[in-house]
């Protein structure tokens, strides 16, 4: 195993004064934390983070990143915590290690879900710091290098994931070398038979073709020299996976591929590139359909070269890439992510290969706006999306700002409609919480629930909004229907008849209604009078009874009168508790617990609210900003999502507490009460204190329609000369 001083020495080869203290501290901390843990191979676990750190030194990365490499598995696999790492290594390193901990979830998820593209996106979205990705790639590379000890099924799964996610990611970041190694390693495990076949074939071929390869490059160089072009012609070494991929994508057999030779011709000027092209096309037959000019039309990442295929000197097909030295540099060190082939090992040093990446990171660190920078370098980040998991590992992508309610509807409308709460990463949280990338969301459901219409203003997806609207319409209709039945039962009983659904259904045409449900809902809404229904069933009824009874009962006989249950709350403190439940128009509670507003602040429509459940006392409603809520921080399981269910035209009033600082002068209190009364609000309670001679402080409990109403009152109060300050108190 690499020693502490060896790691420092590695860093010292490319850093003037390495932060030795940091490296040593991370080394010792990770070693102690992983302690006796073993890898599947039987090696001490610590050898893994250490090798990851070593790979990161190959990439010539900074000490912070290397420390993160050492620490990358500590939060997930040991008793280390984010907090401890923050304290010992600073918040920045803590943040990076946590990012890697989050990415670990990907490994678990991809066991079950095959969603490579989404996973790649998630990976990018979580990695707000490019160094998280670099450590993750180094982590994966070391795991791939040591994959041999795993059970074949497991190693195959990990290799598939590497092939689908990590190798393309490395490619996208311009790390062609790393991509090749990941692909070749993966190929071995995903398809061992094909790997062996291609490998042995390539070995044979290499022997057989050694002379042909030399002949082709010799002939090419010579022909070009005759036209005064100094060119370097290099044969491109074939890799098993790239051969295999060609067989697959081009539907060619191994033999057909074997006579394809790849060469790169590097010259000094662009002019010479086209001259070279003209020469090879003149001297040898060109294979149709294989010509591409990326010099006049560069690839998105600035890659430039001419690609063509000719029938070479000994009748083999020869693939050529023609480029200048400068283009060659760009392809190697630029942000290029698509260099199609790798150089032979002769002049392709690892340090050079990663120089561009190092540059990328430095630029990122210097940039004021990393988002803009990443955008600029075409590292596709999906900043406007957030990716979350279902407990089964399905990935749901949502717009930024989405809530668990949006999530529920994105999974299925039924799940949204029955959503009453949620767990985020295992913890119960309000359903209005904004989702973060990588959150695992479990929706708590109840079939007796329908979504509160107020959720329409919380959700961000159109799907959720329209579904909520539809569901609340249906729920309202159902309620009115039930109410209609009750009204009819009562009114029928009053006149000595029995409510029989069948009888009424038979006479629906007399009521000019098509369906029983419509009719009942309309009775519930007060649009059909119960007496009309009675008369429809029994047209004779009026003659027998109406004169004596209907007058006295005229009010009650209409649906409307029944419907106007006492809806205005009387809020004397004693009555609050007893009457609350029937009248507070709140959704999100579906049991028989008493419910009340927090005495110290109240709550009004427009406030986002939560309920705190006390199993003995019931539910107390708080605005989410109420400071007193912090008392309950420790037991989030007692937090209940609530929302208002208030009709626009409501006459209900809701409690709020305000504080007024005013001049202690005669008439001040009268002014205050006048303004409050003028706004059709009531004062429920009033406390006055005189802190200093000239000023008085009032605490007033008022009743208002909603937040807008309250704000208007406060504005007008503040505008008074005698009033220094008028504000809401949130307890
Ligand atoms: Mn690891």
């Amino acid at each position: 195993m690499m020693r502490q001083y060896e790691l420092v020495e590695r860093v010292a080869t490319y850093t003037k004064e390495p932060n030795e203290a940091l490296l040593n501290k991370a080394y010792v901390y990770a070693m102690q934390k992983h302690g006796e843990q073993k890898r599947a191979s039987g090696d001490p676990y610590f050898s893994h983070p250490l090798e990851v750190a070593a790979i990161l030194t190959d990439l010539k990365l900074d000490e912070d990143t290397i420390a993160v490499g050492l620490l990358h598995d500590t939060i997930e696999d040991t008793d280390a915590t984010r907090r401890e790492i923050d304290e010992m290594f600073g918040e920045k390193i803590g943040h990076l290690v946590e990012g890697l901990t989050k990415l670990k979830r990907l490994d678990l998820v991809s066991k079950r879900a095959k969603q490579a593209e989404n996973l790649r996106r998630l990976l990018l979205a979580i990695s707000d710091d490019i160094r998280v990705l670099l450590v993750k790639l180094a982590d994966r590379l070391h795991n791939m290098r040591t994959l041999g000890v795993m059970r074949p099924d497991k190693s195959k799964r990990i290799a598939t994931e590497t092939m689908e996610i990590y190798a393309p990611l490395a490619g996208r970041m311009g790390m062609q070398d790393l991509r090749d190694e990941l692909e070749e390693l993966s190929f071995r495990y995903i398809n061992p038979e094909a790997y062996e076949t291609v490998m042995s074939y390539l070995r044979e071929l290499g022997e057989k073709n050694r002379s042909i390869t030399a002949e082709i490059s010799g002939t090419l160089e010579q022909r070009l020299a005759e036209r005064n072009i100094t060119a370097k012609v290099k044969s491109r070494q074939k890799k098993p996976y790239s051969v295999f991929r060609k067989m697959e994508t081009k539907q060619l057999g191994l033999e057909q591929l074997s006579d394809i030779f790849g060469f790169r011709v590097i010259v000094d000027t662009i002019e010479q590139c086209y001259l070279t092209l003209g020469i090879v096309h003149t001297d040898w037959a060109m294979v149709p359909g294989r010509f591409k000019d990326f010099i006049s039309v560069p690839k998105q990442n600035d890659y430039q070269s001419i690609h063509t295929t000719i029938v070479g000197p000994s009748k083999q097909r020869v693939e050529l890439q023609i480029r200048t030295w400068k283009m060659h540099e760009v392809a190697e060190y630029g942000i290029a992510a698509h260099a199609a082939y790798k150089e032979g090992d002769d002049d392709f040093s690892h340090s050079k290969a990663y120089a561009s990446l190092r540059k990328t990171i430095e630029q990122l660190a210097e940039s004021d706006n990393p988002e803009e920078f990443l955008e600029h370098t075409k590292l596709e980040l999906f900043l406007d999306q957030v990716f979350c998991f279902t407990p089964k590992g399905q990935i749901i992508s949502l717009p930024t700002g989405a809530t668990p309610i949006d999530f529920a509807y994105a999974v299925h409308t039924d799940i949204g409609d029955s959503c009453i709460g949620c767990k985020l990463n295992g913890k119960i949280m309000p359903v209005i919480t904004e989702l973060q990338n990588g959150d695992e969301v479990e929706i708590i459901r109840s079939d007796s629930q329908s979504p509160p219409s107020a959720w329409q203003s919380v959700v961000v997806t159109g799907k959720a909004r329209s579904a909520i609207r539809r569901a609340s319409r249906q729920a309202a209709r159902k309620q009115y229907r039930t109410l209609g039945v009750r009204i009819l039962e009562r009114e029928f009983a009053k006149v000595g008849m029995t409510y029989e659904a069948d009888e009424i259904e038979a006479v629906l045409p007399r009521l000019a209604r098509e369906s029983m449900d419509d009719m009942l809902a309309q009775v519930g809404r007060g649009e059909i009078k119960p007496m009309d229904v009675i008369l429809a069933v029994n047209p004779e009824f009026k003659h027998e009874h109406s004169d004596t009874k209907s007058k006295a009962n005229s009010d009650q006989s209409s649906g409307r009168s029944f419907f106007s249950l006492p809806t205005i709350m009387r809020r004397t403190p004693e009555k609050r508790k007893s009457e609350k439940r029937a009248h507070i128009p709140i959704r999100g509670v579906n049991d028989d617990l008493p419910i009340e507003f927090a005495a110290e602040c109240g709550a009004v429509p427009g406030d986002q609210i939560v309920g705190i459940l006390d199993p003995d006392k019931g539910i107390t409603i708080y605005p989410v900003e109420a400071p007193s809520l912090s008392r309950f921080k420790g037991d989030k399981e007692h937090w209940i999502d609530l929302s208002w269910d208030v009709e626009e035209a409501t006459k209900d009033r809701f409690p709020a507490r305000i504080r007024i600082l005013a001049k202690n002068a005669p008439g001040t209190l009268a002014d205050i009460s006048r303004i409050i009364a003028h706004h059709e609000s009531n004062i429920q309670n009033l406390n006055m204190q005189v802190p200093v001679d000239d000023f008085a402080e009032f605490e007033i409990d008022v009743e208002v329609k909603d937040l807008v109403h309250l704000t208007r009152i406060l504005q007008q109060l503040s505008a008074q000369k005698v009033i220094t300050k008028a504000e809401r108190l949130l307890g």
Side-chain angles (χ1 to χ4, degrees), residues 12 21 36 71 192 198 201 340 384 436 495 530 536 629 647 720:
E36 298 294 300
L71 300 171
V198 176
Y201 197 78
D384 55 341
Q436 302 297 320
V495 298
L629 270 178
E647 298 280 325
Q720 302 303 304

Side-chain angles (χ1 to χ4, degrees), residues 470-534:
R470 196 179 331 116
S472 19
R473 263 205 310 267
Q474 276 166 5
R477 194 179 140 83
K478 207 172 136 197
Q479 282 171 354
Y480 281 123
R481 189 192 171 283
T482 310
L483 191 58
V485 172
R486 281 202 215 130
I487 290 170
L488 289 180
E489 282 171 350
R490 200 179 71 153
E491 295 300 311
F492 271 67
K494 249 188 218 167
V495 298
M497 292 167 62
T498 310
Y499 165 84
E500 296 281 358
D502 294 350
E503 278 179 28
I504 299 175
E505 198 156 6
V507 299
L508 277 178
R510 282 188 210 164
L511 289 161
R513 294 299 184 279
E514 300 212 327
S515 88
M516 191 71 176
D517 282 353
D518 281 352
M519 191 277 296
L520 289 169
Q522 283 176 312
V523 172
R525 274 196 289 264
E527 290 164 10
I528 300 178
K529 287 184 178 162
M531 185 52 72
D532 293 342
V533 183
I534 292 170

Side-chain angles (χ1 to χ4, degrees), residues 45 48 52 72-73 104 139 143:
Y45 193 91
H48 164 65
V52 170
H72 81 271
D73 278 331
K104 266 219 152 176
D139 178 33
N143 284 335

Side-chain angles (χ1 to χ4, degrees), residues 144-435:
M144 286 304 298
R145 283 177 182 170
T146 53
L147 199 56
V149 297
M150 296 277 183
R151 283 202 326 262
D153 59 330
K154 203 173 172 192
S155 58
K156 192 168 172 178
R157 176 185 66 74
I158 295 172
T160 306
E161 184 186 87
T162 303
M163 189 68 101
E164 287 178 350
I165 299 162
Y166 294 96
L169 183 63
R172 210 177 284 192
M173 294 172 72
M175 306 165 76
Q176 195 53 44
D177 233 21
L178 183 53
R179 178 192 188 147
D180 285 345
E181 186 174 353
L182 288 172
E183 280 181 350
E184 297 303 329
L185 284 166
S186 303
F187 178 45
R188 269 171 88 155
Y189 293 99
I190 293 172
N191 198 339
E193 297 83 15
Y195 176 80
E196 268 317 311
T197 311
V198 176
M199 249 332 247
S200 61
Y201 197 78
L202 284 180
R203 270 195 295 266
E204 269 176 44
L205 205 65
E207 289 300 312
K208 207 171 79 186
N209 287 344
R210 188 167 296 161
S211 57
I212 302 180
T213 310
E215 188 199 327
I216 294 173
S217 57
T219 312
L220 269 170
E221 272 182 23
Q222 194 197 328
R223 288 286 171 95
L224 293 172
E226 285 164 11
R227 269 81 157 191
N228 292 323
I229 297 170
T230 315
K232 168 99 179 153
V233 179
K234 297 196 274 192
S235 87
R236 299 198 307 269
Q237 207 174 317
K238 283 190 168 78
K239 294 274 181 194
Y241 179 64
S242 70
V243 170
F244 180 73
R245 191 170 44 194
K246 271 195 185 167
M247 289 168 63
E248 280 200 324
T249 56
K250 297 190 177 147
Q251 297 289 312
L252 296 172
L254 208 46
E255 282 75 14
Q256 287 170 284
L257 274 175
S258 66
D259 58 352
I260 297 180
F261 294 79
F263 289 87
R264 187 169 287 151
V265 183
I266 308 175
V267 294
D268 291 327
T269 66
I270 292 181
E271 204 186 2
Q272 287 178 346
C273 289
Y274 288 102
L275 279 173
T276 303
L277 179 71
I279 291 161
V280 296
H281 278 188
T282 309
D283 289 3
W284 294 288
M286 160 195 183
V287 179
R290 304 295 310 274
F291 173 73
K292 282 193 187 104
D293 182 358
F294 293 116
I295 292 181
S296 58
V297 186
K299 286 194 187 182
Q300 278 216 327
N301 54 25
D302 296 335
Y303 173 87
Q304 287 184 297
S305 279
I306 291 170
H307 292 187
T308 189
T309 303
I310 55 171
V311 180
S314 331
K315 303 294 169 216
Q316 328 79 355
R317 287 200 293 167
V318 178
E319 284 180 355
L320 291 177
Q321 293 176 353
I322 306 167
R323 55 170 70 152
T324 65
W325 285 102
K326 194 173 168 212
M327 292 170 194
H328 187 57
E329 292 271 305
V330 170
E332 275 191 19
Y333 314 126
I335 315 285
H338 298 288
Y341 295 98
K342 192 188 145 185
E343 282 287 336
D345 285 336
D346 49 340
D347 64 345
F348 197 82
S349 80
H350 280 238
S351 59
K352 263 189 174 179
Y354 293 118
S356 68
L357 190 67
R358 175 102 179 113
K359 207 169 72 195
T360 307
I361 296 153
E362 276 165 10
Q363 276 172 305
L364 186 62
E366 286 162 13
S367 164
D368 289 340
N369 184 348
E371 287 168 21
E372 195 177 86
F373 175 79
L374 288 174
E375 193 81 336
H376 179 66
T377 54
K378 301 194 176 71
L379 249 187
E380 288 172 63
L381 280 178
F382 299 85
L383 295 169
D384 55 341
Q385 286 179 63
V386 21
F387 298 88
C388 299
F389 301 97
T390 68
K392 283 187 180 162
Q394 191 189 350
I395 287 190
I396 304 293
S397 100
L398 295 162
T400 309
T403 64
I405 310 166
D406 292 293
F407 180 94
Y409 277 107
V411 176
H412 198 281
T413 309
D414 288 348
I415 294 179
D417 282 347
S418 56
C419 166
I420 55 164
C422 71
K423 283 186 184 175
L424 294 184
N425 307 314
K427 267 193 231 153
I428 293 202
M429 296 289 280
V431 290
I432 54 169
T433 312
E434 185 175 329
L435 291 172

